[in-house]
Amino acid sequence: MRGIDFTVEAGTCFALLGPNGAGKSSTIRMISCLTPVSAGTLKVFGIAAHPEAREIKRRLGVVAQDDFLDPDLTVEENLVLHGLLYGQTRAEARRRAAEQAGRLGLGDRLGHPVRSLSGGLRRRSVIARAMMGRPDLLVLDEPTTGLDPQARLAVWAALRALLREGVTLVVTTHYMEEAERLADQLVVMDHGRILERGTPTDLIRRVVGADVVEVSGVPFERVSDIVGDLGRVEPRGDASAVLTHEPAAVVERLRRELGPGRCRCLVRPADLEDVFLLLTGKGLAE
């Protein structure tokens, strides 16, 4: 880490975004008191974070990239076991397990062995387990990696419900849509430092602009020459992306200069992937 600085407001979702190796998981592990702070000061609930900080761990829930569920136990047994680790009685843990399973759409799966669950249901089971200790802060490291779109939507709905109940979320993710849907604030990281921070909408507006015209079928240099002062042209694989506030004018100029049918133009709103490519020069999943 090269030195990062941020504050997470209670009851909000804060996202750390960046390519592999950016420092997201290292930061998450320090917040979770799994590894010592490498330098500087890190406070969670106003308490200095370190592996022996029991008060922080008591108020913390962690959703790691690996689920670590026991596949031979049922969903209920996995949840109850976690509750017992928090000092709950078995009766209390069973009540809490039923409550969390119901909240996350797992009420009819409590008696099912974990090995029989789909990826989305397993992920929701992990979140339910992390909530067994009634945490004030839930830390999630890439919570929907590997899930299909339907399962991802279900997990997002569950996390939004937790936010409405006042739980604070700190999330790392490779998915720009996940950050746009969940995050109140986010930072873009690379090589252990923060490149930009803000709300998703603010970052898109400030870093990229309003719209993007994706142009394919024409060499990048030719697109740059034609677009001129109408926008900024960025290479995107075998296509070009024109970042502009005048998309209609860009398309009109390209078609006028190249002739009908000589290029394919797609106009779309700018998004967080555009922010990433501009700031890091890398795709989200690199």
Side-chain angles (χ1 to χ4, degrees):
M1 305 298 289
R2 297 185 179 181
I4 59 175
D5 180 17
F6 62 85
T7 300
V8 180
E9 297 293 332
T12 66
C13 178
F14 187 90
L16 298 96
L17 310 183
N20 288 335
K24 306 184 303 297
S25 292
S26 296
T27 302
I28 284 289
R29 289 181 64 81
M30 287 186 281
I31 293 173
S32 303
C33 299
L34 296 175
T35 58
V37 176
S38 55
T41 302
L42 171 61
K43 291 187 176 182
V44 183
F45 310 124
I47 304 167
H50 57 87
E52 302 304 317
R54 296 178 63 87
E55 175 60 19
I56 293 176
K57 292 180 178 180
R58 186 184 66 80
R59 301 174 58 187
L60 188 70
V62 178
V63 176
Q65 292 185 36
D66 297 317
D67 63 45
F68 299 115
L69 294 167
D70 189 323
D72 295 320
L73 299 182
T74 66
V75 172
E76 182 182 40
E77 289 167 340
N78 271 277
L79 300 185
V80 168
L81 178 60
H82 205 66
L84 294 176
L85 294 175
Y86 275 89
Q88 299 168 9
T89 66
R90 185 168 295 277
E92 181 184 4
R94 292 190 68 181
R95 287 195 299 271
R96 182 70 177 164
E99 176 186 330
Q100 295 310 307
R103 169 186 288 168
L104 289 157
L106 296 164
D108 60 344
R109 306 290 179 137
L110 279 170
H112 291 216
V114 163
R115 68 170 66 255
S116 70
L117 301 182
S118 66
L121 291 173
R122 285 178 69 105
R123 209 60 182 146
R124 277 186 273 169
S125 297
V126 175
I127 296 171
R129 183 185 60 184
M131 291 298 296
M132 284 295 293
R134 296 183 174 85
D136 297 311
L137 169 63
L138 187 61
V139 178
L140 306 103
D141 196 3
E142 299 183 22
T144 62
T145 295
L147 299 187
D148 62 49
Q150 184 176 9
R152 190 172 296 133
L153 287 172
V155 170
W156 291 345
L159 295 179
R160 282 194 297 268
L162 294 177
L163 281 171
R164 289 193 294 271
E165 294 173 14
V167 178
T168 304
L169 306 181
V170 175
V171 182
T172 75
T173 181
H174 278 142
Y175 295 114
M176 59 185 177
E177 186 181 3
E178 187 160 271
E180 289 191 51
R181 289 189 179 221
L182 293 176
D184 298 292
Q185 293 283 329
L186 62 87
V187 293
V188 179
M189 299 178 62
D190 197 14
H191 294 104
R193 61 191 179 92
I194 292 175
L195 304 179
E196 275 288 358
R197 69 185 74 210
T199 68
T201 300
D202 174 60
L203 273 177
I204 293 167
R205 177 191 55 78
R206 180 160 43 86
V207 176
V208 181
D211 295 290
V212 176
V213 181
E214 294 185 352
V215 184
S216 55
V218 183
F220 170 77
E221 294 79 8
R222 180 68 171 133
V223 175
S224 297
D225 289 341
I226 294 173
V227 169
D229 61 356
L230 286 179
R232 175 175 175 174
V233 184
E234 295 286 329
R236 298 289 169 87
D238 60 352
S240 302
V242 184
L243 316 181
T244 180
H245 291 281
E246 304 177 78
V250 168
V251 172
E252 180 182 357
R253 182 179 291 184
L254 285 166
R255 288 176 175 168
R256 183 178 66 245
E257 292 294 325
L258 296 169
R262 295 294 301 276
C263 70
R264 294 182 296 278
C265 299
L266 171 67
V267 179
R268 61 170 176 80
D271 58 31
L272 278 180
E273 185 171 359
D274 298 307
V275 173
F276 259 77
L277 290 169
L278 281 176
L279 293 178
T280 71
K282 305 172 184 176
L284 287 170
E286 284 188 28

